[in-house]
Amino acid sequence: MLWILDSTLREGEQTPGVYFDTHIKQAIADKLDQIGINIIETGHPAVTPEIYQAVRQIARRGLKAHIGAHSRSLEKDVDLALECGVDFLGIFYCVSDHRLTNVFKKELNSAVEQISRIIRYAKEKKPDLLIRYTPEDTVRSEFSNVIEAASAAVAAGADIISIADTTGFMVPGTSNNMYDYVLQLKEELAKRGHSPMIAVHCHNDRGFALANALDGFRAGAEIIDTSVLGLGERAGIVDMAQLLIALKTAYQVDNGWKLQLLPELYGLVSKYAGIPIPVNFPAVGQNAFTHCAGVHTHAALENPVHYQSLDPDLLGRHMHVALDHMSGLSSVEWALDQLQIDYDADLAARVLDLVKLTGQKGRTVDEEELVHIVEWCRKHPTQEA
Ligand code: HCA
Ligand code: CU
């Protein structure tokens, strides 16, 4: 079993300048639920009264997904989260020696005691609450500290231990890799009689968030954190669309996700985050299924698999051909056919010449301009361009 946790509304809102109004948060949560996301992390209620309200309202929406709140290891944060009516609580507390000494000014023992106390407190208040404990910056913390804190957290009632690669430190195939980390954590916890669900939270500072998440999955992680467009602190975290597509098409994992709703969700999040979807973004970017160079277009129109390993149908999208200086005759013929414009070989050739000239100005010829080009060529049967 694999669960997807989406943190667009919590981690994603930690992208500088990104804020989603409550009605937008609700719309995003609804869409995540329709897609089949298992846990929706909705925010940290202690941050602002508006976030508190948004978490509370989403928790009352009766969605299928678990609705989660983020919380420091403090009673007052737990109280606020529980007031909101969430059924998932993510408690974080870093236990690296460095952070304990310089920031918290605490011994490991007293930090572990605080973590256990807060988890017991939350579980007593709401016994069916799903509790995740995250030793923030897990992978750069002393492993023995992580094991001690995680074991105590599970003994106190935590259901999930999340491995946070808070700074995007892990690199597949090196000695710091998520695959080995998940295996070692599971093994050490098992020795102590604990078998919590393991989550992975991978940041993208080095561009390996997705690869690390998949490494974690191969090693037995049961929950993967994502966000729409990979939004989050700095370079963000794992992009949801890319993860779901990799799982479905390459790992044969399919929780019945409604991938066709992804373009709509991405449009919604991009619009209200004020962050455009890069045109070359996998799966949801404008160019993700667009062929450009004549050689490619010619073969792709023969059979898309020549230049596509991903079927656009998966996302309810279609193959497209761009018209610019790279185009060939087949590109123009395809575009003319799309517009149901009659043409002969001479017209197509002259349209191609003009398309190539226009493309050299640094833009693609869209449908509207193609119609003008065709009209111009028809009115000027001899070469006057
Ligand atoms: C944060 C850091 C965090 C926490 C993850 C978690 C991280 O913004 O609080 O609580 O599971 O990357 O470590 O996002
Ligand atoms: Cu994070």
Side-chain angles (χ1 to χ4, degrees), residues 5-61:
L5 177 149
D6 185 83
S7 191
T8 306
L9 301 179
R10 196 281 295 171
E11 174 84 52
E13 226 187 40
Q14 290 176 222
T15 308
V18 170
Y19 177 71
F20 301 110
D21 285 314
T22 302
H23 54 281
I24 300 300
K25 282 198 172 87
Q26 290 188 357
I28 293 171
D30 287 357
K31 208 46 80 204
L32 291 167
D33 195 50
Q34 285 165 24
I35 287 170
I37 297 306
N38 306 87
I39 305 169
I40 302 174
E41 205 171 52
T42 52
H44 189 146
V47 175
T48 64
E50 289 72 22
I51 291 181
Y52 171 90
Q53 281 303 336
V55 173
R56 192 177 159 94
Q57 286 178 28
I58 295 169
R60 285 156 187 228
R61 260 178 121 61

Side-chain angles (χ1 to χ4, degrees), residues 356-370:
K356 282 174 150 321
L357 281 176
T358 310
Q360 278 169 198
K361 292 174 191 144
R363 63 174 204 265
T364 55
V365 171
D366 61 13
E367 289 188 353
E368 190 188 333
E369 189 168 4
L370 183 62

Side-chain angles (χ1 to χ4, degrees), residues 10-11 14 70 92 132 134 136-137 162 164 166 201 203:
R10 196 281 295 171
E11 174 84 52
Q14 290 176 222
H70 212 216
F92 59 101
R132 176 192 68 199
T134 307
E136 203 192 357
D137 203 2
S162 183
T166 306
H201 178 89
H203 273 266

Side-chain angles (χ1 to χ4, degrees), residues 12 19 42 73 78 90 102 105 136 142 184 213 221 238 246 266-267 275 289 296 303 305 309 337 359 370 376:
Y19 177 71
T42 52
S73 192
V78 172
N102 294 307
K105 320 238 181 280
E136 203 192 357
E142 291 71 14
Q184 281 159 16
V238 177
Y266 275 62
I275 295 186
F289 300 105
H296 287 230
N303 186 339
V305 300
S309 73
D337 288 342
L370 183 62
W376 194 90

Side-chain angles (χ1 to χ4, degrees), residues 336 341 346-355 357-358 361 365 367-385:
L336 294 172
I341 293 174
D346 177 59
L347 181 68
R350 285 190 303 114
V351 168
L352 177 61
D353 285 345
L354 266 183
V355 162
L357 281 176
T358 310
K361 292 174 191 144
V365 171
E367 289 188 353
E368 190 188 333
E369 189 168 4
L370 183 62
V371 171
H372 297 317
I373 288 178
V374 169
E375 278 168 8
W376 194 90
C377 289
R378 282 207 170 116
K379 283 197 191 120
H380 299 83
T382 52
Q383 284 289 359
E384 291 176 23

